[in-house]
Amino acid sequence: MKQFNEEIAWLRRQGYHSISIEDLYQALVNKASVPEKPILLTFDDGYGDNYRSAWPIMQHNNFRATFFIITNSVGHGMMNWEQLNDLIKQGNFIGSHTVHHLDLASLTENQQDSELNISKQELEQHLGISVQALCFPSGKYNKTTLKLMSKLGYRLGFTTKPGRVHLGDVLLTLKRERIYGGMPLVSFQRLFP
Ligand SMILES: [Zn+2]
């Protein structure tokens, strides 16, 4: 957590402001304004240390994040519903990372439909939120995935392709920068020119 602490403290000193999925959507679709130096922080899979270790550091530095949750794993060594509810109550955001974290591109349309639909419904029922974003397990998706996302009411999709988000990007296949454990601070800083 020393690395994460340094990274978050550095982002704060540089004047970055965290935004939500809704902020990003409104900025991309309606050109709504965002704070100076906007950043969308995302965490995949819903590990328990996101709540125990990462969240207190973000809270201390006035950042909020989006957590992509595998619904079948909730409470099984991962964050439980109570913790997820607490994160939301404190201003964080939740998206779907499917039900079972399978390679969506290898599934049939019916299987994909169930992964996308059931995870969204579970999150909405347990957390009382509207789920608007999907993060593809291991970054894998195909045309069927994108078609189903539109049908089921997902507005944003997050890949593992490295890069920034710009006006005009395809909303269902947005890029992200991956932060590795053990990444030297200078390498992290290089992502923010
Ligand atoms: Zn994942």
Side-chain angles (χ1 to χ4, degrees), residues 151-170:
K151 184 191 99 175
L152 296 169
Y154 284 104
R155 305 204 292 189
L156 297 175
F158 290 83
T159 69
T160 51
K161 280 181 221 128
R164 292 169 159 245
V165 172
H166 300 99
L167 273 179
D169 282 359
V170 176

Side-chain angles (χ1 to χ4, degrees), residues 44-45 97 101:
D44 292 9
D45 303 337
H97 200 26
H101 204 274

Side-chain angles (χ1 to χ4, degrees), residues 5-115:
N5 207 349
E6 285 173 354
E7 290 165 349
I8 289 292
W10 184 79
L11 286 175
R12 188 192 61 188
R13 287 198 305 276
Q14 295 298 307
Y16 280 89
H17 296 92
S18 55
I19 62 169
S20 69
I21 287 172
E22 179 67 19
D23 293 335
L24 178 63
Y25 179 81
Q26 293 302 336
L28 291 174
V29 173
N30 297 324
K31 299 196 171 71
S33 62
V34 284
E36 200 191 341
K37 293 193 171 187
I39 186 167
L40 180 67
L41 298 168
T42 65
F43 291 79
D44 292 9
D45 303 337
Y47 289 104
D49 65 0
N50 291 177
Y51 184 80
R52 287 191 306 273
S53 309
W55 164 235
I57 292 170
M58 290 191 288
Q59 188 177 32
H60 178 74
N61 288 281
N62 202 26
F63 283 104
R64 298 293 180 270
T66 296
F67 299 86
F68 289 110
I69 301 303
I70 308 159
T71 53
N72 197 51
S73 299
V74 173
H76 302 287
M78 309 295 244
M79 287 190 281
N80 59 37
W81 291 117
E82 196 183 354
Q83 292 168 326
L84 294 175
N85 262 307
D86 192 42
L87 286 176
I88 291 170
K89 206 166 64 188
Q90 303 198 64
N92 295 284
F93 312 94
I94 304 289
S96 167
H97 200 26
T98 75
V99 179
H100 297 103
H101 204 274
L102 303 170
D103 170 356
L104 291 172
S106 75
L107 302 183
T108 65
E109 177 160 353
N110 277 345
Q111 289 169 326
Q112 287 206 53
D113 190 297
S114 123
E115 287 291 319

